[in-house]
Amino acid sequence: MPQSILFKHASVVFPTEVATANVLVEDGKIIDVDAAETTQCDQTIDARGKFLMPGVIDDQVHFRDPGLTHKEDLATASHACAAGGVTTFLEMPNTKPPAITVEGVRQKEALAADKSLVNYGFYIGATVDNVAELQRAEDVPGIKIFIGSSTGNMLVDEQEALERIFSETTLPICAHCEDESTVRANAARLKDVCDVAVHSQIRDVAAAVTATRRSIDLSLRHQHRFHVLHVSTGEELQYLAGTQPYVTAEVCPHHLFFNVDDYQRLGSLVQMNPSIKTAEDNRRLWQGLMDGQIQVIATDHAPHTLEEKQQPYPASPSGLPAVENSLALMLNQVAEDRCSIVQVAQWMCDAPARVWGIVGKGRIAVGYDADLVLVDMQQQRTIRDEQQHTKSRWSPWHGTTLTGWPVATWVGGRCVFDEHGFDERVRGSKPRFDHHRGGYWATPDGIGV
């Protein structure tokens, strides 16, 4: 394994610009971003004509391990990550058993240390009665609350329990925001409709807005950092305004690129929680990204087998795989001049590192970890189900041709994926989470080292 690597003539995606530079990596760290071409090292990579960007940090995934590994596991999911340019993932707690104790989180970390090709972190899940456990938790990205769309005691929608979590814990919180009472009332009213398109009427705009407003109110009153997961409606944006330094938000590719018109073509393959909304919501969410109201793009990668997804609604489960195509989907938007590659790196690399206090990640800068992706903006490729690395082996973007693809990925300075395939010897590691740095709004210059 090379201990030092020189990336020569790369178009380097820095935090505010793209510039041609020579990036030197030693022992898994970036030690120079203006190295001489004659620098002696173990390996030299001529990156002329390609872009070198920081590895993607996907802060919302469901990798199904343990308990639901017929859908996905940490090995298959991390292969999908590596192929897609994702070098760090943060995984949600609703596995079987759920990660609602510190020990449960540590058990998942042990699984990842054994299986994962890329870096990993695991949220601890909130329940109606585990505040003491949430207080014990350290060195995790944060707390996840399901305000709707869960089962058992992981559904937390009673105000008293929410007040306790926000007032008596210190870790940053994120939440699935759909109001459970609204969803249940809609489901009862529409119970005789079996068309999957009704899903967006059951999980409607009001359900999302009600829960998002409620969560932001809790965040601001208790001055507790809060991250709104998978914003799905344009209506939610107004409640994000003026919420600094406590609130951040994210959007997922399926809420940017799919809407209710796609049910006719794709059916339950685009059945999601929160549901996809209208073309106008697509437009407004894009505008929210461009205006800085939304800081992060994450996937909510949540695979099911194709057989499960193709059951008649409502037996069909919600969720879709996206982690290996998310960067390419956004690079295609760069190719279409909708945004810049610097913005993509801000949304997918730098911002999630800052939101969750992931030390030394998210930027190409001296001292940062050498989690890197080489991108070919000239490459065109068509997404095919049979070529997917996720265990589910399907994508709602099957048949879509994109311009701009990751072609090689490094984790801690080790090439884990390139044109030759995967290096199965590589294993990721758990990053350091430093929440004392204050999160996104307190770290405009990055999370540092």
Side-chain angles (χ1 to χ4, degrees), residues 166 217-225 246:
F166 274 86
D217 171 69
L218 285 159
S219 169
L220 298 180
R221 282 194 291 105
H222 294 291
Q223 298 184 355
H224 196 129
R225 291 214 311 277
Y246 300 110

Side-chain angles (χ1 to χ4, degrees), residues 427-441:
R427 289 295 178 270
S429 59
K430 184 174 91 169
R432 182 159 63 96
F433 302 98
D434 186 351
H435 299 303
H436 296 293
R437 303 196 188 196
Y440 179 85
W441 299 110

Side-chain angles (χ1 to χ4, degrees), residues 190 192-202 263-264 267 312-314:
L190 297 165
D192 295 326
V193 182
C194 295
D195 182 351
V196 69
V198 80
H199 192 70
S200 291
Q201 298 174 47
I202 293 172
Y263 281 124
Q264 185 172 4
Y313 185 83

Side-chain angles (χ1 to χ4, degrees), residues 277-298:
K277 304 301 194 300
T278 68
E280 175 63 10
D281 288 298
N282 295 152
R283 186 195 67 77
R284 292 175 69 182
L285 291 171
W286 263 106
Q287 194 60 51
L289 262 180
M290 302 300 290
D291 292 344
Q293 292 175 285
I294 296 171
Q295 293 75 38
V296 173
I297 293 176

Side-chain angles (χ1 to χ4, degrees), residues 12-91:
V12 180
V13 184
F14 291 114
T16 60
E17 65 175 352
V18 174
T20 301
N22 302 318
V23 175
L24 181 61
V25 169
E26 280 189 7
D27 296 325
K29 301 285 186 181
I30 298 167
I31 67 164
D32 197 346
V33 295
D34 190 25
E37 290 188 32
T38 55
T39 301
Q40 296 297 305
C41 57
D42 297 325
Q43 182 182 17
T44 299
I45 295 172
D46 188 344
R48 194 187 314 265
K50 294 184 175 65
F51 291 80
L52 187 68
M53 64 181 291
V56 170
I57 299 170
D58 193 334
D59 79 358
Q60 188 187 181
V61 301
H62 301 266
F63 284 171
R64 309 303 193 194
D65 198 350
L68 295 166
T69 53
H70 70 285
K71 304 173 189 280
E72 188 79 280
D73 61 50
L74 288 164
T76 56
S78 68
H79 281 72
C81 284
V86 176
T87 55
T88 302
F89 65 81
L90 305 182
E91 209 250 4

